[in-house]
Amino acid sequence: MSSSCDQSSSNRDDLFSGRCVLVNGPVIVGAGPSGLAVAAGLKQEGVPLVILERATCIASLWQNRTYDRLKLHLPKQFCELPYAPFPADFPEYPSKRHFIDYLESYARRFQIVPRFNESVLSASYDRACALWRVKTVSGCGGASVEYICRWLVVASGENAEKVVPEFEGMHEFGGSVMHACDYKSGEFYRGKKVLVVGCGNSGMEVSLDLCHHGASPSMVVRSSVHVLPREILGKSTFELGVFLMKWLPVWAVDNILLAAARLILGNIEKYGLKRPPIGPLQLKNTQGKTPVLDIGTLSRIRTGDIKIVPGIKRFFQGGVELVDGQLLEIDSVILATGYSSNVPTWLKENEFFSKDGFPNSPFPNGWKGKCGLYAVGFTRRGLSGASVDAIKVAKDIIKIWKTETKQKHHSVKVL
């Protein structure tokens, strides 16, 4: 897969005075679903590769930073990776454990062995030799390696780092504060008053889980949000939307979905959940904001088990003041405030990726940059979008790799 190479570059800093590895194929950064999908495509055609993962396992977001009750929000056929469907006996909406088992089986099937505990410090294109230099440091002992490769696949994902907003007085609060990525179960919060900051799918599900464990959650809703039923007439809302998009424009499909949502869910605005002025699919396509698929949270909002509150003004000892002047006594805070890409912190490139860590070109054109640079898992279209890009990236690299390999073999024969 790789071999040692001379490291005589005079401008390499002292941190990388150790090992240098020449990779005969691509380096893939990230062993989540996106990185695994690209690796599987390459493995099937015999392309050598190195896949780097900062954690100690594949799909670390799923394994280490998700709550216990999590299930896939979409039917399994929209969440499977290329070349390997879900087992037939899996439920329509696989659980967290089901999905992790599927990914681990996927890695075994395609003999994908990531290099764990290797964090990428930087990746830059060396124009002098037309190769990428990827510098890493190991979490075990701090050993450093520089990988040199023809192709670089960025698969570190949209959710690499948690977003933790700052609030006035937070240091005075005194209670438990954690991000949703560290939340596992509501068992710890039984009998407690919990403020959940954020009303996306995570905020909604964490609030519901808290209810199931006897806590009293209040959910902060600072902006408008689309809430749709997970199913319409027994069919997945997402599946229905995909089907209608084959025949109708986005605005028409949005109108149909919103009309169905009003019939099934009723008027959600009277509970403090204001809908955005543009439809859910258009909002997803233009701003990347995913609609909430309701799995029971709304019913608990209607009964008052989950309270909807406006934005936060400040925290104080044992409580919070809201923007409307309300004072709430609370025991704990859970920040369901989302995640961000970390690509700008390590990729030394400013054409393909934007400052927020996403490709500048929107889907379906954001998978390929210049000089052998690729991106997978930044479509804002979930696992299905990542799979589409993974197939494109693998095919593109395979085509070039096979052409170059044939040319090398031909040159040897001529000599």
Side-chain angles (χ1 to χ4, degrees):
M1 179 178 290
S2 58
S3 59
S4 296
C5 69
D6 177 49
Q7 88 162 338
S8 58
S9 177
S10 60
N11 63 355
R12 192 167 303 144
D13 59 51
D14 291 339
L15 179 63
F16 291 92
S17 60
R19 207 156 59 97
C20 176
V21 175
L22 176 63
V23 182
N24 299 322
V27 165
I28 302 171
V29 179
S34 299
L36 296 177
V38 176
L42 296 170
K43 281 278 190 175
Q44 291 181 101
E45 296 297 329
V47 179
L49 60 92
V50 165
I51 181 166
L52 302 173
E53 171 55 52
R54 64 180 178 178
T56 58
C57 60
I58 64 168
S60 62
L61 176 66
W62 284 87
Q63 300 221 47
N64 302 330
R65 295 186 286 159
T66 51
Y67 36 94
D68 295 342
R69 68 167 287 122
L70 179 64
K71 292 184 178 182
L72 295 179
H73 295 133
L74 306 180
K76 60 185 179 182
Q77 66 265 33
F78 297 104
C79 301
E80 58 195 20
L81 300 187
Y83 326 114
F86 279 103
D89 61 347
F90 271 30
E92 185 175 13
Y93 297 94
S95 67
K96 168 184 173 178
R97 187 66 258 168
H98 281 127
F99 190 56
I100 292 171
D101 289 345
Y102 167 73
L103 293 177
E104 290 178 337
S105 173
Y106 191 89
R108 289 192 301 269
R109 174 175 179 173
F110 296 105
Q111 299 180 320
I112 302 168
V113 184
R115 300 192 178 189
F116 294 118
N117 250 331
E118 286 207 46
S119 296
V120 175
L121 297 178
S122 68
S124 58
Y125 187 67
D126 189 335
R127 296 189 180 279
C129 58
L131 295 168
W132 285 91
R133 295 184 178 273
V134 184
K135 300 178 180 181
T136 72
V137 63
S138 170
C140 299
S144 57
V145 179
E146 182 176 49
Y147 295 92
I148 299 177
C149 57
R150 169 77 171 77
W151 302 282
L152 176 63
V153 181
V154 180
S156 50
E158 303 169 0
N159 303 317
E161 305 294 340
K162 61 185 178 184
V163 174
V164 180
E166 294 183 3
F167 295 103
E168 181 184 346
M170 180 64 84
H171 63 285
E172 301 173 8
F173 171 55
S176 167
V177 180
M178 73 164 58
H179 192 273
C181 69
D182 299 313
Y183 176 91
K184 298 302 178 186
S185 166
E187 181 63 33
F188 172 78
Y189 299 92
R190 190 176 301 276
K192 295 184 178 182
K193 298 175 182 177
V194 185
L195 186 71
V196 179
V197 183
C199 60
N201 279 299
S202 293
M204 291 277 188
E205 290 193 30
V206 166
S207 296
L208 181 61
D209 189 57
L210 288 166
C211 278
H212 288 165
H213 286 89
S216 299
S218 296
M219 184 167 59
V220 174
V221 179
R222 295 168 292 176
S223 57
S224 56
V225 58
H226 276 301
V227 182
L228 302 175
R230 186 168 70 171
E231 295 184 343
I232 297 174
L233 299 177
K235 290 288 185 181
S236 158
T237 300
F238 180 81
E239 185 175 6
L240 177 61
V242 169
F243 173 76
L244 292 175
M245 287 280 288
K246 295 178 181 179
W247 312 99
L248 300 171
V250 173
W251 65 265
V253 178
D254 273 340
N255 287 341
I256 292 171
L257 295 181
L258 289 174
R262 281 191 291 270
L263 285 172
I264 296 170
L265 303 178
N267 178 17
I268 66 172
E269 296 204 7
K270 67 181 181 180
Y271 303 109
L273 298 170
K274 184 179 179 181
R275 289 196 181 277
I278 62 176
L281 297 181
Q282 187 180 354
L283 190 66
K284 177 69 173 174
N285 291 342
T286 58
Q287 299 180 31
K289 293 184 178 180
T290 303
V292 172
L293 296 176
D294 179 55
I295 59 169
T297 307
L298 272 180
S299 66
R300 304 303 288 265
I301 292 174
R302 292 192 192 97
T303 60
D305 295 325
I306 299 173
K307 295 180 175 60
I308 301 297
V309 299
I312 296 166
K313 182 177 181 181
R314 67 180 181 91
F315 284 90
F316 56 84
Q317 178 67 40
V320 63
E321 180 181 355
L322 305 174
V323 292
D324 63 355
Q326 286 187 71
L327 300 178
L328 296 181
E329 291 185 4
I330 53 174
D331 301 303
S332 302
V333 178
I334 297 172
L335 301 170
T337 45
Y339 301 85
S340 65
S341 164
N342 68 2
V343 174
T345 66
W346 56 268
L347 181 62
K348 310 306 178 185
E349 184 273 348
N350 57 14
E351 291 184 21
F352 185 43
F353 277 88
S354 64
K355 291 181 179 179
D356 65 355
F358 284 77
N360 282 306
S361 299
F363 182 82
N365 301 312
W367 61 277
K368 184 178 181 180
K370 297 178 180 178
C371 305
L373 179 62
Y374 298 90
V376 180
F378 297 90
T379 65
R380 293 189 171 101
R381 282 167 169 75
L383 293 163
S384 59
S387 294
V388 169
D389 278 358
I391 293 171
K392 291 179 181 177
V393 170
K395 285 183 176 179
D396 199 60
I397 293 175
I398 290 166
K399 180 181 178 182
I400 301 170
W401 183 81
K402 284 186 173 181
T403 300
E404 293 183 354
T405 301
K406 287 180 181 178
Q407 288 176 348
K408 290 177 182 177
H409 289 167
H410 180 69
S411 299
V412 171
K413 290 177 182 179
V414 170
L415 290 172

Short mmCIF file of all heavy atoms in Angstrom, two decimals, residues 120-157:
data_model
loop_
_atom_site.label_atom_id
_atom_site.label_comp_id
_atom_site.label_asym_id
_atom_site.label_seq_id
_atom_site.Cartn_x
_atom_site.Cartn_y
_atom_site.Cartn_z
N VAL A 120 -4.88 14.70 11.30
CA VAL A 120 -4.23 15.48 10.24
C VAL A 120 -3.97 16.90 10.75
O VAL A 120 -4.90 17.61 11.14
CB VAL A 120 -5.10 15.51 8.97
CG1 VAL A 120 -4.47 16.42 7.92
CG2 VAL A 120 -5.27 14.10 8.41
N LEU A 121 -2.71 17.30 10.74
CA LEU A 121 -2.34 18.65 11.13
C LEU A 121 -2.42 19.61 9.96
O LEU A 121 -2.86 20.76 10.11
CB LEU A 121 -0.91 18.66 11.69
CG LEU A 121 -0.66 17.86 12.98
CD1 LEU A 121 0.80 17.95 13.36
CD2 LEU A 121 -1.54 18.38 14.11
N SER A 122 -2.02 19.14 8.80
CA SER A 122 -2.07 19.99 7.61
C SER A 122 -2.01 19.13 6.36
O SER A 122 -1.49 18.01 6.38
CB SER A 122 -0.92 21.00 7.60
OG SER A 122 0.32 20.34 7.42
N ALA A 123 -2.56 19.67 5.29
CA ALA A 123 -2.46 19.03 3.97
C ALA A 123 -2.28 20.14 2.95
O ALA A 123 -3.09 21.07 2.88
CB ALA A 123 -3.71 18.22 3.66
N SER A 124 -1.20 20.06 2.19
CA SER A 124 -0.92 21.11 1.22
C SER A 124 -0.39 20.49 -0.07
O SER A 124 0.20 19.40 -0.07
CB SER A 124 0.11 22.11 1.78
OG SER A 124 1.30 21.45 2.14
N TYR A 125 -0.62 21.20 -1.15
CA TYR A 125 -0.19 20.71 -2.46
C TYR A 125 1.19 21.26 -2.79
O TYR A 125 1.41 22.48 -2.76
CB TYR A 125 -1.19 21.12 -3.54
CG TYR A 125 -0.92 20.53 -4.89
CD1 TYR A 125 -1.05 19.15 -5.10
CD2 TYR A 125 -0.52 21.33 -5.96
CE1 TYR A 125 -0.80 18.59 -6.35
CE2 TYR A 125 -0.28 20.77 -7.22
CZ TYR A 125 -0.42 19.41 -7.40
OH TYR A 125 -0.16 18.85 -8.64
N ASP A 126 2.11 20.37 -3.05
CA ASP A 126 3.48 20.74 -3.42
C ASP A 126 3.56 20.81 -4.94
O ASP A 126 3.63 19.78 -5.61
CB ASP A 126 4.46 19.71 -2.85
CG ASP A 126 5.91 20.14 -3.00
OD1 ASP A 126 6.20 20.93 -3.91
OD2 ASP A 126 6.75 19.67 -2.21
N ARG A 127 3.56 22.02 -5.47
CA ARG A 127 3.55 22.17 -6.93
C ARG A 127 4.87 21.75 -7.57
O ARG A 127 4.90 21.40 -8.75
CB ARG A 127 3.22 23.62 -7.29
CG ARG A 127 1.82 24.03 -6.84
CD ARG A 127 1.40 25.37 -7.38
NE ARG A 127 0.04 25.70 -6.92
CZ ARG A 127 -1.06 25.25 -7.48
NH1 ARG A 127 -0.97 24.45 -8.55
NH2 ARG A 127 -2.25 25.57 -7.00
N ALA A 128 5.92 21.78 -6.80
CA ALA A 128 7.23 21.40 -7.35
C ALA A 128 7.25 19.95 -7.80
O ALA A 128 7.86 19.61 -8.82
CB ALA A 128 8.32 21.66 -6.31
N CYS A 129 6.59 19.09 -7.02
CA CYS A 129 6.56 17.67 -7.40
C CYS A 129 5.16 17.18 -7.76
O CYS A 129 4.97 15.98 -8.01
CB CYS A 129 7.14 16.81 -6.27
SG CYS A 129 6.28 16.99 -4.70
N ALA A 130 4.19 18.11 -7.77
CA ALA A 130 2.80 17.78 -8.14
C ALA A 130 2.22 16.67 -7.27
O ALA A 130 1.56 15.75 -7.75
CB ALA A 130 2.71 17.39 -9.62
N LEU A 131 2.46 16.77 -5.96
CA LEU A 131 1.95 15.80 -5.00
C LEU A 131 1.42 16.51 -3.77
O LEU A 131 1.80 17.65 -3.46
CB LEU A 131 3.06 14.82 -4.59
CG LEU A 131 3.63 13.91 -5.69
CD1 LEU A 131 4.89 13.23 -5.19
CD2 LEU A 131 2.59 12.89 -6.13
N TRP A 132 0.54 15.81 -3.05
CA TRP A 132 0.01 16.33 -1.79
C TRP A 132 0.88 15.87 -0.63
O TRP A 132 1.34 14.73 -0.61
CB TRP A 132 -1.43 15.85 -1.58
CG TRP A 132 -2.42 16.56 -2.45
CD1 TRP A 132 -2.84 16.18 -3.68
CD2 TRP A 132 -3.09 17.78 -2.15
NE1 TRP A 132 -3.74 17.09 -4.18
CE2 TRP A 132 -3.92 18.09 -3.26
CE3 TRP A 132 -3.09 18.65 -1.05
CZ2 TRP A 132 -4.73 19.23 -3.30
CZ3 TRP A 132 -3.89 19.78 -1.09
CH2 TRP A 132 -4.68 20.06 -2.19
N ARG A 133 1.09 16.76 0.32
CA ARG A 133 1.80 16.43 1.56
C ARG A 133 0.81 16.52 2.72
O ARG A 133 0.27 17.59 3.00
CB ARG A 133 2.96 17.39 1.79
CG ARG A 133 4.06 17.29 0.73
CD ARG A 133 5.23 18.21 1.07
NE ARG A 133 6.30 18.10 0.09
CZ ARG A 133 7.28 17.20 0.13
NH1 ARG A 133 7.30 16.33 1.14
NH2 ARG A 133 8.21 17.16 -0.79
N VAL A 134 0.56 15.39 3.35
CA VAL A 134 -0.40 15.30 4.44
C VAL A 134 0.35 14.98 5.72
O VAL A 134 0.91 13.89 5.87
CB VAL A 134 -1.47 14.22 4.16
CG1 VAL A 134 -2.52 14.21 5.27
CG2 VAL A 134 -2.12 14.45 2.80
N LYS A 135 0.38 15.93 6.64
CA LYS A 135 1.13 15.77 7.88
C LYS A 135 0.19 15.40 9.02
O LYS A 135 -0.83 16.04 9.23
CB LYS A 135 1.88 17.06 8.22
CG LYS A 135 2.88 17.47 7.15
CD LYS A 135 3.58 18.77 7.49
CE LYS A 135 4.57 19.16 6.40
NZ LYS A 135 5.28 20.42 6.73
N THR A 136 0.56 14.34 9.74
CA THR A 136 -0.30 13.84 10.82
C THR A 136 0.50 13.69 12.11
O THR A 136 1.73 13.65 12.11
CB THR A 136 -0.90 12.47 10.47
OG1 THR A 136 0.14 11.47 10.52
CG2 THR A 136 -1.55 12.47 9.10
N VAL A 137 -0.24 13.60 13.20
CA VAL A 137 0.36 13.30 14.50
C VAL A 137 -0.49 12.22 15.16
O VAL A 137 -1.72 12.24 15.07
CB VAL A 137 0.47 14.55 15.39
CG1 VAL A 137 -0.90 15.12 15.72
CG2 VAL A 137 1.24 14.25 16.67
N SER A 138 0.16 11.28 15.79
CA SER A 138 -0.54 10.16 16.43
C SER A 138 -0.95 10.54 17.83
O SER A 138 -0.22 11.22 18.56
CB SER A 138 0.37 8.93 16.47
OG SER A 138 -0.21 7.93 17.27
N GLY A 139 -2.15 10.07 18.21
CA GLY A 139 -2.62 10.31 19.56
C GLY A 139 -1.88 9.46 20.58
O GLY A 139 -1.95 9.71 21.78
N CYS A 140 -1.18 8.44 20.12
CA CYS A 140 -0.42 7.56 21.01
C CYS A 140 1.05 7.90 20.91
O CYS A 140 1.75 7.43 20.01
CB CYS A 140 -0.65 6.09 20.64
SG CYS A 140 -2.36 5.56 20.77
N GLY A 141 1.52 8.74 21.80
CA GLY A 141 2.93 9.07 21.84
C GLY A 141 3.35 10.24 21.00
O GLY A 141 4.49 10.67 21.03
N GLY A 142 2.42 10.78 20.19
CA GLY A 142 2.72 11.97 19.42
C GLY A 142 3.64 11.76 18.23
O GLY A 142 4.23 12.71 17.73
N ALA A 143 3.77 10.52 17.74
CA ALA A 143 4.61 10.26 16.58
C ALA A 143 4.04 10.97 15.36
O ALA A 143 2.82 11.05 15.17
CB ALA A 143 4.70 8.76 16.33
N SER A 144 4.92 11.49 14.52
CA SER A 144 4.48 12.25 13.35
C SER A 144 4.83 11.52 12.06
O SER A 144 5.84 10.83 11.98
CB SER A 144 5.11 13.64 13.36
OG SER A 144 6.52 13.54 13.40
N VAL A 145 3.97 11.70 11.09
CA VAL A 145 4.17 11.08 9.77
C VAL A 145 3.77 12.09 8.71
O VAL A 145 2.83 12.86 8.88
CB VAL A 145 3.32 9.80 9.61
CG1 VAL A 145 3.52 9.18 8.23
CG2 VAL A 145 3.64 8.78 10.69
N GLU A 146 4.49 12.08 7.61
CA GLU A 146 4.08 12.86 6.45
C GLU A 146 3.79 11.89 5.31
O GLU A 146 4.65 11.11 4.89
CB GLU A 146 5.16 13.84 6.03
CG GLU A 146 4.71 14.70 4.83
CD GLU A 146 5.74 15.75 4.45
OE1 GLU A 146 6.93 15.40 4.31
OE2 GLU A 146 5.35 16.91 4.28
N TYR A 147 2.54 11.92 4.85
CA TYR A 147 2.13 11.09 3.71
C TYR A 147 2.22 11.93 2.44
O TYR A 147 1.76 13.08 2.41
CB TYR A 147 0.69 10.60 3.90
CG TYR A 147 0.52 9.67 5.08
CD1 TYR A 147 0.18 10.17 6.33
CD2 TYR A 147 0.73 8.30 4.95
CE1 TYR A 147 0.03 9.33 7.43
CE2 TYR A 147 0.58 7.45 6.04
CZ TYR A 147 0.23 7.97 7.27
OH TYR A 147 0.09 7.14 8.36
N ILE A 148 2.79 11.36 1.42
CA ILE A 148 2.91 12.04 0.13
C ILE A 148 2.11 11.24 -0.89
O ILE A 148 2.31 10.03 -1.05
CB ILE A 148 4.38 12.15 -0.29
CG1 ILE A 148 5.15 12.97 0.75
CG2 ILE A 148 4.52 12.80 -1.66
CD1 ILE A 148 6.63 13.10 0.48
N CYS A 149 1.19 11.91 -1.56
CA CYS A 149 0.25 11.18 -2.43
C CYS A 149 -0.15 11.99 -3.65
O CYS A 149 -0.04 13.22 -3.67
CB CYS A 149 -1.00 10.81 -1.62
SG CYS A 149 -1.84 12.22 -0.87
N ARG A 150 -0.64 11.28 -4.62
CA ARG A 150 -1.11 11.88 -5.89
C ARG A 150 -2.50 12.47 -5.73
O ARG A 150 -2.84 13.48 -6.35
CB ARG A 150 -1.10 10.78 -6.96
CG ARG A 150 -1.78 11.11 -8.26
CD ARG A 150 -0.95 12.01 -9.15
NE ARG A 150 -1.56 12.11 -10.47
CZ ARG A 150 -2.62 12.86 -10.76
NH1 ARG A 150 -3.21 13.57 -9.83
NH2 ARG A 150 -3.09 12.90 -12.00
N TRP A 151 -3.35 11.81 -4.89
CA TRP A 151 -4.73 12.26 -4.71
C TRP A 151 -5.06 12.40 -3.23
O TRP A 151 -4.61 11.60 -2.40
CB TRP A 151 -5.71 11.25 -5.32
CG TRP A 151 -5.49 10.99 -6.78
CD1 TRP A 151 -5.86 11.77 -7.82
CD2 TRP A 151 -4.86 9.84 -7.35
NE1 TRP A 151 -5.49 11.20 -9.02
CE2 TRP A 151 -4.87 10.00 -8.76
CE3 TRP A 151 -4.27 8.69 -6.82
CZ2 TRP A 151 -4.33 9.07 -9.63
CZ3 TRP A 151 -3.72 7.76 -7.68
CH2 TRP A 151 -3.76 7.94 -9.08
N LEU A 152 -5.86 13.41 -2.90
CA LEU A 152 -6.31 13.63 -1.53
C LEU A 152 -7.83 13.67 -1.51
O LEU A 152 -8.44 14.49 -2.21
CB LEU A 152 -5.75 14.94 -0.98
CG LEU A 152 -6.23 15.35 0.42
CD1 LEU A 152 -5.79 14.32 1.47
CD2 LEU A 152 -5.71 16.74 0.77
N VAL A 153 -8.44 12.79 -0.72
CA VAL A 153 -9.90 12.75 -0.59
C VAL A 153 -10.27 13.26 0.80
O VAL A 153 -9.93 12.64 1.81
CB VAL A 153 -10.44 11.31 -0.79
CG1 VAL A 153 -11.96 11.32 -0.67
CG2 VAL A 153 -10.01 10.76 -2.15
N VAL A 154 -10.96 14.37 0.84
CA VAL A 154 -11.41 14.96 2.11
C VAL A 154 -12.76 14.35 2.45
O VAL A 154 -13.76 14.61 1.78
CB VAL A 154 -11.52 16.49 2.01
CG1 VAL A 154 -11.99 17.08 3.33
CG2 VAL A 154 -10.18 17.10 1.61
N ALA A 155 -12.79 13.53 3.49
CA ALA A 155 -14.03 12.86 3.91
C ALA A 155 -14.23 13.01 5.42
O ALA A 155 -14.78 12.13 6.07
CB ALA A 155 -13.99 11.38 3.52
N SER A 156 -13.77 14.13 5.94
CA SER A 156 -13.86 14.37 7.39
C SER A 156 -15.26 14.80 7.82
O SER A 156 -15.55 14.82 9.02
CB SER A 156 -12.83 15.42 7.81
OG SER A 156 -12.89 16.56 6.98
N GLY A 157 -16.09 15.17 6.85
CA GLY A 157 -17.51 15.36 7.13
C GLY A 157 -17.97 16.74 7.55
O GLY A 157 -17.18 17.62 7.92
#
